[in-house]
Amino acid sequence: GSFAPRQGAFEENTRFLLGGDIERLTLSRPLNGAPGRDFDYLNVNSQLAGIVLQRAIAPERYADFLSRTLWQKIGAGDAYVWPDEIGGTVRTIAAILVTPRDWLRVGTLIKDKGRVGDQQVLPESWIEAMETPHPRYPNYGLQTWLGRVYEPVRFYHARKAGLAVKQSEPFAVADLVYFDGFAGQRVYISRAADLVIVRIGEERPRDWDESALPNAVIRALGLDLSPQPSVPAASAVQ
């Protein structure tokens, strides 16, 4: 799950986000259950994937690898990653410093199935995998949230407790894919609408409504598209 705010300096989640030796802390976390059994969005999983990647590309630095394989190819400017110490492990759970225009470029790359102009930057099969729903939960793929089934309240794990996001109505398009940042940063992507929306803010408002921004833009553009299924699944998160 996401980190709870205003925790003490020695709380594990605070050390995970702000402290050093993040690799040791990540690898020391026990399994919650059998892999693939339940849907459970956890930052530690994203960090673990980052550690695997950083070990695989060594001795190349993660920042150089990201720049060479992705950032330069989409025409993005400088971005900044956050290691736990100089020359240490990069935090891949969050904290990459990117301009809104470059988030737009990332969203457009997803919308165009990995292509930039006539160059295939990412394999189309990767994009398809990112947008394939989790076997136990239809609204999450690989590091991406999906608008496949309408949920008035979206939780981040099967326990249906803690942090949640409200959605007042179905998305105006059924193929919506989006990135969910803790403070309300969003990148909404719709291939059917040929649309990418980037939202950057200091924090997510208390009355945040997930469908409000994309639906307002889609309707303002006069797009007539098939909406997200409007019947909520009673057990959408399993």
Side-chain angles (χ1 to χ4, degrees), residues 4-236:
R6 296 185 297 278
Q7 295 198 67
F10 297 102
E11 293 286 344
E12 188 173 68
N13 278 347
T14 303
R15 289 187 288 114
F16 194 78
L17 184 61
L18 301 176
D21 202 5
I22 195 170
E23 182 168 322
R24 180 201 59 78
L25 184 60
T26 301
L27 298 178
S28 69
R29 301 284 281 265
L31 282 173
N32 287 346
R37 185 187 64 186
D38 299 313
F39 170 73
D40 201 354
Y41 176 85
L42 292 170
N43 285 321
V44 69
N45 292 337
S46 301
Q47 186 60 49
L48 184 61
I51 291 171
V52 171
L53 175 60
Q54 290 175 72
R55 289 183 176 185
I57 64 176
E60 185 175 20
R61 296 192 315 153
Y62 175 85
D64 293 336
F65 175 81
L66 181 65
S67 178
R68 175 177 60 84
T69 61
L70 181 62
W71 232 242
Q72 293 177 17
K73 292 183 178 181
I74 65 175
D78 288 338
Y80 297 88
V81 296
W82 184 16
D84 57 357
E85 59 181 284
I86 296 175
T89 302
V90 172
R91 287 180 169 83
T92 50
I93 57 169
I96 182 171
L97 186 61
V98 179
T99 67
R101 288 182 181 273
D102 287 343
W103 275 126
L104 183 64
R105 289 182 170 91
V106 173
T108 302
L109 180 71
I110 301 300
K111 177 182 68 68
D112 294 341
K113 297 186 177 181
R115 296 185 67 84
V116 175
D118 58 359
Q119 183 181 15
Q120 191 74 44
V121 175
L122 295 178
E124 186 173 337
S125 60
W126 286 20
I127 306 300
E128 292 174 352
M130 291 171 64
E131 298 177 4
T132 299
H134 186 281
R136 305 286 293 185
Y137 179 51
N139 287 338
Y140 195 77
L142 295 178
Q143 298 291 302
T144 55
W145 294 92
L146 311 173
R148 297 298 185 265
V149 177
Y150 172 51
E151 293 181 279
V153 180
R154 170 170 63 89
F155 290 96
Y156 289 82
H157 48 71
R159 297 183 298 278
K160 296 186 180 181
L163 188 66
V165 181
K166 295 181 180 180
Q167 183 178 334
S168 64
E169 63 175 346
F171 291 121
V173 291
D175 72 334
L176 202 71
V177 174
Y178 59 103
F179 304 150
D180 172 349
F182 178 75
Q185 309 96 321
R186 292 291 191 274
V187 180
Y188 296 105
I189 304 155
S190 171
R191 196 166 295 119
D194 193 22
L195 182 67
V196 178
I197 303 169
V198 175
R199 189 269 179 185
I200 301 293
E202 292 186 359
E203 61 180 317
R204 185 173 63 195
R206 290 183 179 274
D207 61 348
W208 180 263
D209 179 350
E210 197 67 80
S211 58
L213 176 58
N215 283 5
V217 173
I218 290 167
R219 288 166 180 160
L221 293 174
L223 299 174
D224 184 14
L225 299 166
S226 175
Q228 177 188 34
S230 60
V231 178
S235 56

